[in-house]
Amino acid sequence: MKLLTVITLLLLISTGNIMPQNFNLQKLYDSYSTYKNNSFTKARFKHKDVLKNIKKLKSKKLFKIKMLGKSLEGREINLISIGKGKINVLLWSQMHGDEPTATMALFDLFNFFSADDEFNGFRKELFSKLTLHFIPMLNPDGAEKFKRRNALNIDLNRDAIRLQCPESKILKGIRDSLKPKFGFNLHDQNTRYSAGNSFRSATISFLAPAFNYEKEINEVRGNTMKLIVKLNEALSNFIPGHIAKYNDDFEPRAFGDNFIKWGTSSVLIESGGWKNDAEKQYIRKLNFIALLAGFNAIIKESYKQATIEEYKQIPTNDNLLFDLLLRKLTVKYKNQKYKIDIGINKNQETTADYKDYYNIGKIEDWGDLSIFYGYKEYELEGYEIKKSKIYKLNDKKLEEIDAQELLNKGYGFIELDTNRFADEYTKLPLNIIFKGANPNLNVDYLNFANFTIWKNNKLMFNVVNGCIHDVTSDSCKSKNGLIFKP
Ligand SMILES: [Zn+2]
């Protein structure tokens, strides 16, 4: 190194001006935990949790916070702005109350923006070129009950034309006043979408929405597609094969479609499923990464080099996944044997207090499911299905039972004499039947997924409430059993 270069470098270091201008995605991914907002740990957080965090931002000069209005039930909807750039970017999350993943990621982003570290150079460029505007949780009333629609049970994403609800008016109003060049419309999708014809879940899906039935591509939509190519490129480093495109049929009442029509290149990001990530905490991190990669592509204008053809090559969402797929089981019917694949889903049911959920495991399809895939799959040719057994508690207390032992013996249910608690589910890995209840315990299409699996008259697996338990290992990972009441 030449002496002059060394001196210049030393000078730069001493004045603190040497900042890597490069946007290192891997480093960002690796250091995510330092930016993660740890007040969000589960998907069913509420408006008050969001407000608490917004209040904290108020003390920081970096953020401008403006109350845009209130939801039908009177909950504040805020706009958080940052940066001084000419290009406005608008992001909104949780327009559907039960789609919270991106809201958490936005608060991780706020931590990233206010950090002081090796990404300072990137931040400086970001805030000088862009002004970022965020609406976290556009539908707080829906979020309160963890439901899609708002308090009037209107789907806000079908209210972009009539603009009847205050939440919709707020979104349209801010779009009209900011006229953002880019937008990010942040949602969650079915966790069982696959990325094309593949066993891989569509963990993140994108869409450049159509603005007419002909699905024409103008500059606004074209730029959306090009930006998505850059997001896809970024995420492919971490979840290759798990990225897809959402259906692009024109929906005249939806905001995404209308944003394009109104002149904003708005990217739809849908958070889907990832194995063992029921609370979407890993997918939240992917949102964080994708959004920063998106901002980077805008400030560097790298999206301009992407092509629409590349966008078209992203696989489309397909519906090929079950939570659990058991292949080629033997089912007996009138003394005849049938080879049947069983597709089981564990659907989340929100608890009465809206704060948590429990699983309801059901046989959602059976027959020849050879074209489908499972988050978990078992090849069970030659294995036979039988009903699960019912354990009579009699004088014992529920607390005294050894659940693992009962599972290993093929029990799926515990019968209780009394009707002594009102819970909706039990944290035991077994179901409970109150005396007098008479649930249908047959192993059948659309029924609850409770049965045992045998090979050569030896019990091998016990499926309880959709969760498969290998009786040769104490491996039960069930969240809950169900309670059947009279
Ligand atoms: Zn949605």
Side-chain angles (χ1 to χ4, degrees):
M1 213 181 287
K2 280 182 185 163
L3 187 64
L4 194 68
T5 322
V6 174
I7 290 170
T8 319
L9 255 174
L10 282 172
L11 259 171
L12 280 169
I13 289 167
S14 64
T15 54
N17 278 337
I18 185 160
M19 296 296 173
Q21 295 297 313
N22 282 342
F23 177 73
N24 188 327
L25 207 62
Q26 185 64 49
K27 249 185 198 162
L28 195 64
Y29 184 89
D30 294 339
S31 54
Y32 165 76
S33 64
T34 56
Y35 310 117
K36 187 177 178 185
N37 181 321
N38 291 313
S39 73
F40 298 99
T41 56
K42 289 184 162 188
R44 283 165 181 76
F45 54 85
K46 306 295 173 206
H47 179 251
K48 69 170 172 36
D49 306 311
V50 166
L51 266 196
K52 228 185 276 169
N53 276 290
I54 291 179
K55 250 185 208 152
K56 281 184 196 160
L57 297 180
K58 281 182 182 164
S59 62
K60 294 177 181 173
K61 253 203 198 150
L62 200 60
F63 301 96
K64 253 193 272 163
I65 293 157
K66 189 181 167 196
M67 212 254 280
L68 295 175
K70 288 184 175 176
S71 68
L72 271 176
E73 289 182 341
R75 295 187 174 89
E76 281 182 17
I77 296 169
N78 288 288
L79 182 76
I80 296 149
S81 303
I82 183 163
K84 292 183 180 123
K86 272 191 204 148
I87 303 173
N88 278 319
V89 182
L90 176 63
L91 303 90
W92 64 100
S93 74
Q94 220 167 343
M95 145 193 289
H96 293 135
D98 57 352
E99 300 178 10
T101 307
T103 304
M104 298 185 274
L106 295 187
F107 284 94
D108 299 336
L109 277 181
F110 300 149
N111 280 346
F112 173 80
F113 293 148
S114 44
D116 176 11
D117 57 27
E118 59 187 316
F119 292 103
N120 282 354
F122 170 68
R123 289 185 192 99
K124 203 174 158 192
E125 192 182 355
L126 187 65
F127 301 150
S128 68
K129 290 188 174 162
L130 307 183
T131 306
L132 300 162
H133 306 271
F134 301 87
I135 305 175
M137 196 183 266
L138 183 65
N139 178 7
D141 300 348
E144 205 63 19
K145 295 188 172 173
F146 206 71
K147 62 173 190 176
R148 178 180 175 90
R149 296 174 178 232
N150 74 351
L152 182 60
N153 279 329
I154 298 278
D155 183 341
L156 296 176
N157 211 19
R158 301 292 179 267
D159 195 31
I161 301 292
R162 284 202 184 161
L163 296 168
Q164 292 219 89
C165 299
E167 300 89 348
S168 320
K169 284 178 192 155
I170 284 169
L171 183 56
K172 176 69 159 77
I174 198 68
R175 200 228 76 93
D176 288 350
S177 73
L178 294 174
K179 297 188 174 57
K181 185 168 164 64
F182 292 98
F184 290 87
N185 180 10
L186 307 168
H187 291 251
D188 282 71
Q189 67 180 2
N190 189 333
T191 57
R192 298 182 198 104
Y193 282 146
S194 45
N197 182 356
S198 151
F199 65 91
R200 292 186 185 91
S201 58
T203 308
I204 294 284
S205 294
F206 296 113
L207 177 67
F211 61 90
N212 60 16
Y213 285 108
E214 292 74 30
K215 303 185 186 182
E216 285 175 276
I217 301 170
N218 59 6
E219 197 192 333
V220 177
R221 188 171 183 220
N223 282 341
T224 315
M225 291 173 167
K226 291 175 179 181
L227 187 53
I228 287 171
V229 169
K230 300 310 285 182
L231 298 178
N232 178 42
E233 218 172 86
L235 285 187
S236 291
N237 290 303
F238 310 108
I239 50 164
H242 284 275
I243 304 158
K245 278 200 306 281
Y246 204 81
N247 180 317
D248 76 339
D249 286 346
F250 177 53
E251 171 46 77
R253 304 165 297 166
F255 271 99
D257 307 50
N258 280 290
F259 260 69
I260 301 269
K261 201 190 262 179
W262 299 329
T264 297
S265 295
S266 76
V267 174
L268 174 76
I269 301 184
E270 296 272 358
S271 294
W274 184 254
K275 196 173 181 174
N276 300 326
D277 190 22
E279 299 288 357
K280 304 269 195 119
Q281 297 302 302
Y282 178 60
I283 308 177
R284 156 194 186 178
K285 172 177 174 173
L286 297 173
N287 270 260
F288 171 87
I289 297 291
L291 291 173
L292 284 171
F295 302 153
N296 188 52
I298 296 171
I299 58 177
K300 304 280 190 340
E301 297 191 343
S302 61
Y303 70 92
K304 289 183 175 170
Q305 273 89 58
T307 66
I308 285 160
E309 200 42 51
E310 287 171 286
Y311 172 79
K312 287 184 175 167
Q313 279 165 13
I314 300 172
T316 309
N317 271 359
D318 211 332
N319 216 337
L320 297 175
L321 270 173
F322 290 99
D323 289 335
L324 174 63
L325 182 53
L326 308 176
R327 297 191 191 273
K328 298 176 186 165
L329 275 156
T330 304
V331 175
K332 265 192 191 161
Y333 182 74
K334 292 189 177 175
N335 286 325
Q336 288 276 352
K337 286 181 175 178
Y338 297 85
K339 195 196 286 179
I340 288 183
D341 306 322
I342 300 188
I344 292 168
N345 285 335
K346 290 187 286 183
N347 293 311
Q348 289 189 3
E349 184 76 20
T350 300
T351 52
D353 63 4
Y354 307 113
K355 288 178 182 159
D356 200 0
Y357 74 93
Y358 58 97
N359 287 319
I360 300 180
K362 285 202 162 174
I363 298 174
E364 294 211 332
D365 202 356
W366 82 356
D368 178 355
L369 304 183
S370 55
I371 65 160
F372 293 97
Y373 306 95
Y375 273 98
K376 260 187 172 181
E377 290 191 11
Y378 287 79
E379 191 71 33
L380 298 170
E381 182 133 37
Y383 289 67
E384 202 177 324
I385 267 197
K386 291 180 186 172
K387 277 192 195 181
S388 328
K389 292 195 287 183
I390 302 173
Y391 182 79
K392 296 222 159 89
L393 199 62
N394 294 327
D395 294 334
K396 259 197 193 168
K397 281 183 182 153
L398 197 55
E399 298 74 35
E400 291 168 17
I401 63 141
D402 182 342
Q404 201 75 53
E405 194 192 325
L406 291 185
L407 282 171
N408 289 349
K409 287 181 176 167
Y411 289 98
F413 304 89
I414 302 171
E415 191 180 276
L416 287 192
D417 277 343
T418 52
N419 198 336
R420 63 192 162 112
F421 46 81
D423 303 25
E424 301 150 86
Y425 65 99
T426 166
K427 284 184 177 162
L428 286 171
L430 293 149
N431 302 296
I432 288 177
I433 303 178
F434 284 143
K435 199 170 186 179
N438 191 20
N440 174 2
L441 303 184
N442 290 331
V443 188
D444 200 356
Y445 169 59
L446 293 185
N447 207 354
F448 298 102
N450 299 295
F451 50 85
T452 52
I453 299 171
W454 301 69
K455 179 139 201 207
N456 302 328
N457 289 319
K458 201 172 163 237
L459 177 66
M460 304 301 287
F461 299 98
N462 189 351
V463 176
V464 182
N465 193 29
C467 201
I468 188 161
H469 169 72
D470 181 345
V471 302
T472 60
S473 68
D474 288 350
S475 63
C476 184
K477 288 206 182 82
S478 171
K479 180 172 162 69
N480 62 277
L482 296 177
I483 298 180
F484 295 94
K485 298 173 185 179

